[in-house]
Amino acid sequence: VLLVGLDGADWKIIRPLIAAGSLPNFRRLIEGGVSGDIATQAPTLSPLLWHSIATGKRALHHGVHGFTELDAATGRPRPVSRRSRQCAMLWEILEAHGRKTNVINWFASHPAESLSGVCVSDLFTGNIPPQGQPWPCLAGSVAPSALHETLADLRLHPAEIPAEVFGLFVPELH
């Protein structure tokens, strides 16, 4: 099973691009799998929705209600994290049944959890510094931790992306 989530993506944009031949890999994925429209919940906050997808439950049951939550100790807001979850995620259920799983950049997945495969948390890229300055990875953002340095070396700084690539997403750029 391959679950690919594109936050904020819309078939009104994707389908014409597929038809024009601009997204050949999407075409292959769709032709060899399943795709379709899905209904959403309100409020349309990405962490809430993504956790509903991965648990089959609403926020009341999975525990992730948005981007932040109140810290019980301080009473101040803090980002939601893996510790905010109150039920099993799809990959946890698969792991319990002996399946190997990989999870990459799922909302509120930090700290990365130990899986039979690899987990790269949503905080892996961390705060992106100006180009040329050190770009440390946040501790606990990769599991197994032995892959931390290897994956960190594969990151692409936004300044390394050619203007013509940005132009595909922002046509008025030029």
Side-chain angles (χ1 to χ4, degrees):
V1 174
L2 174 64
L3 172 61
V4 177
L6 299 173
D7 197 55
D10 193 315
W11 287 115
K12 292 175 191 171
I13 296 169
I14 295 171
R15 285 188 182 115
L17 289 171
I18 290 171
S22 298
L23 299 173
N25 292 323
F26 269 77
R27 178 186 298 275
R28 283 192 289 279
L29 284 171
I30 290 168
E31 289 173 353
V34 177
S35 67
D37 297 324
I38 60 172
T40 193
Q41 302 174 48
T44 54
L45 299 172
S46 299
L48 179 154
L49 299 172
W50 284 62
H51 276 70
S52 292
I53 290 167
T55 63
K57 300 181 185 309
R58 294 186 177 271
L60 176 66
H61 299 288
H62 62 62
V64 176
H65 299 273
F67 290 92
T68 61
E69 64 188 4
L70 286 181
D71 183 322
T74 66
R76 301 183 75 168
R78 67 177 177 204
V80 291
S81 73
R82 176 170 63 95
R83 295 181 179 105
S84 307
R85 301 181 195 152
Q86 297 173 359
C87 65
M89 302 293 275
L90 174 61
W91 52 88
E92 293 171 311
I93 295 166
L94 291 169
E95 290 269 334
H97 287 86
R99 301 290 191 234
K100 183 177 180 177
T101 62
N102 297 295
V103 177
I104 299 171
N105 198 33
W106 199 269
F107 278 104
S109 60
H110 191 81
E113 57 196 294
S114 293
L115 302 171
S116 57
V118 176
C119 183
V120 179
S121 87
D122 58 326
L123 300 184
F124 172 66
T125 56
N127 293 325
I128 301 170
Q131 189 175 20
Q133 291 188 9
W135 187 9
C137 281
L138 185 63
S141 62
V142 176
S145 59
L147 292 175
H148 197 96
E149 291 298 321
T150 301
L151 294 178
D153 290 342
L154 297 174
R155 292 178 300 175
L156 181 67
H157 192 282
E160 298 175 86
I161 301 171
E164 54 271 11
V165 173
F166 273 119
L168 296 171
F169 299 96
V170 185
E172 293 81 21
L173 180 69
H174 304 292

Short mmCIF file of all heavy atoms in Angstrom, two decimals, residues 2-4 11 26 28-37:
data_model
loop_
_atom_site.label_atom_id
_atom_site.label_comp_id
_atom_site.label_asym_id
_atom_site.label_seq_id
_atom_site.Cartn_x
_atom_site.Cartn_y
_atom_site.Cartn_z
N LEU A 2 0.63 2.14 -0.89
CA LEU A 2 1.32 3.42 -0.91
C LEU A 2 0.27 4.50 -0.76
O LEU A 2 -0.63 4.63 -1.60
CB LEU A 2 2.08 3.61 -2.23
CG LEU A 2 2.74 4.98 -2.44
CD1 LEU A 2 3.83 5.22 -1.41
CD2 LEU A 2 3.30 5.07 -3.85
N LEU A 3 0.35 5.25 0.32
CA LEU A 3 -0.56 6.36 0.56
C LEU A 3 0.24 7.64 0.36
O LEU A 3 1.19 7.90 1.10
CB LEU A 3 -1.13 6.30 1.99
CG LEU A 3 -1.95 7.49 2.45
CD1 LEU A 3 -3.17 7.68 1.56
CD2 LEU A 3 -2.36 7.31 3.90
N VAL A 4 -0.13 8.41 -0.65
CA VAL A 4 0.54 9.67 -0.95
C VAL A 4 -0.45 10.78 -0.66
O VAL A 4 -1.56 10.79 -1.20
CB VAL A 4 0.98 9.74 -2.43
CG1 VAL A 4 1.61 11.08 -2.73
CG2 VAL A 4 1.95 8.61 -2.74
N TRP A 11 -7.95 18.10 -7.59
CA TRP A 11 -8.07 17.38 -8.87
C TRP A 11 -8.32 18.34 -10.03
O TRP A 11 -7.98 18.03 -11.16
CB TRP A 11 -9.19 16.34 -8.79
CG TRP A 11 -8.84 15.14 -7.98
CD1 TRP A 11 -9.42 14.75 -6.81
CD2 TRP A 11 -7.82 14.19 -8.24
NE1 TRP A 11 -8.83 13.61 -6.34
CE2 TRP A 11 -7.84 13.24 -7.20
CE3 TRP A 11 -6.88 14.03 -9.26
CZ2 TRP A 11 -6.97 12.15 -7.16
CZ3 TRP A 11 -6.02 12.95 -9.20
CH2 TRP A 11 -6.07 12.03 -8.17
N PHE A 26 2.22 10.47 -11.82
CA PHE A 26 0.87 10.47 -11.26
C PHE A 26 -0.05 9.60 -12.11
O PHE A 26 -0.86 8.84 -11.58
CB PHE A 26 0.30 11.90 -11.20
CG PHE A 26 0.58 12.60 -9.92
CD1 PHE A 26 1.83 13.12 -9.67
CD2 PHE A 26 -0.40 12.74 -8.96
CE1 PHE A 26 2.10 13.78 -8.49
CE2 PHE A 26 -0.15 13.39 -7.77
CZ PHE A 26 1.10 13.91 -7.54
N ARG A 28 0.71 7.02 -13.90
CA ARG A 28 1.01 5.61 -13.64
C ARG A 28 0.47 5.16 -12.28
O ARG A 28 -0.08 4.06 -12.16
CB ARG A 28 2.52 5.36 -13.72
CG ARG A 28 3.03 5.29 -15.16
CD ARG A 28 4.46 4.76 -15.23
NE ARG A 28 5.46 5.69 -14.74
CZ ARG A 28 5.96 6.70 -15.44
NH1 ARG A 28 5.57 6.90 -16.69
NH2 ARG A 28 6.86 7.50 -14.92
N LEU A 29 0.62 6.01 -11.27
CA LEU A 29 0.09 5.66 -9.96
C LEU A 29 -1.43 5.49 -9.99
O LEU A 29 -1.98 4.54 -9.44
CB LEU A 29 0.46 6.74 -8.93
CG LEU A 29 1.89 6.73 -8.43
CD1 LEU A 29 2.16 7.99 -7.60
CD2 LEU A 29 2.18 5.50 -7.60
N ILE A 30 -2.10 6.39 -10.67
CA ILE A 30 -3.56 6.35 -10.75
C ILE A 30 -4.02 5.14 -11.57
O ILE A 30 -4.95 4.44 -11.18
CB ILE A 30 -4.11 7.67 -11.32
CG1 ILE A 30 -3.91 8.78 -10.29
CG2 ILE A 30 -5.58 7.53 -11.73
CD1 ILE A 30 -4.14 10.17 -10.82
N GLU A 31 -3.36 4.91 -12.69
CA GLU A 31 -3.75 3.78 -13.54
C GLU A 31 -3.49 2.44 -12.85
O GLU A 31 -4.21 1.47 -13.09
CB GLU A 31 -3.01 3.84 -14.88
CG GLU A 31 -3.52 4.96 -15.76
CD GLU A 31 -2.69 5.16 -17.03
OE1 GLU A 31 -1.62 4.50 -17.17
OE2 GLU A 31 -3.10 5.98 -17.87
N GLY A 32 -2.49 2.38 -11.98
CA GLY A 32 -2.17 1.12 -11.32
C GLY A 32 -2.74 1.00 -9.92
O GLY A 32 -2.49 0.02 -9.23
N GLY A 33 -3.50 1.99 -9.49
CA GLY A 33 -4.03 1.96 -8.13
C GLY A 33 -5.44 2.50 -8.06
O GLY A 33 -6.25 2.26 -8.95
N VAL A 34 -5.70 3.25 -7.03
CA VAL A 34 -7.02 3.81 -6.78
C VAL A 34 -6.85 5.29 -6.48
O VAL A 34 -5.94 5.69 -5.77
CB VAL A 34 -7.71 3.12 -5.59
CG1 VAL A 34 -9.05 3.75 -5.29
CG2 VAL A 34 -7.86 1.63 -5.84
N SER A 35 -7.75 6.10 -6.99
CA SER A 35 -7.74 7.53 -6.69
C SER A 35 -9.18 8.01 -6.70
O SER A 35 -10.07 7.32 -7.18
CB SER A 35 -6.92 8.30 -7.72
OG SER A 35 -7.57 8.25 -8.98
N GLY A 36 -9.40 9.18 -6.18
CA GLY A 36 -10.75 9.72 -6.22
C GLY A 36 -10.91 10.93 -5.33
O GLY A 36 -9.97 11.34 -4.64
N ASP A 37 -12.10 11.47 -5.39
CA ASP A 37 -12.44 12.61 -4.55
C ASP A 37 -12.76 12.12 -3.15
O ASP A 37 -13.33 11.04 -2.98
CB ASP A 37 -13.67 13.34 -5.11
CG ASP A 37 -13.41 13.93 -6.49
OD1 ASP A 37 -12.28 14.40 -6.72
OD2 ASP A 37 -14.32 13.93 -7.33
#
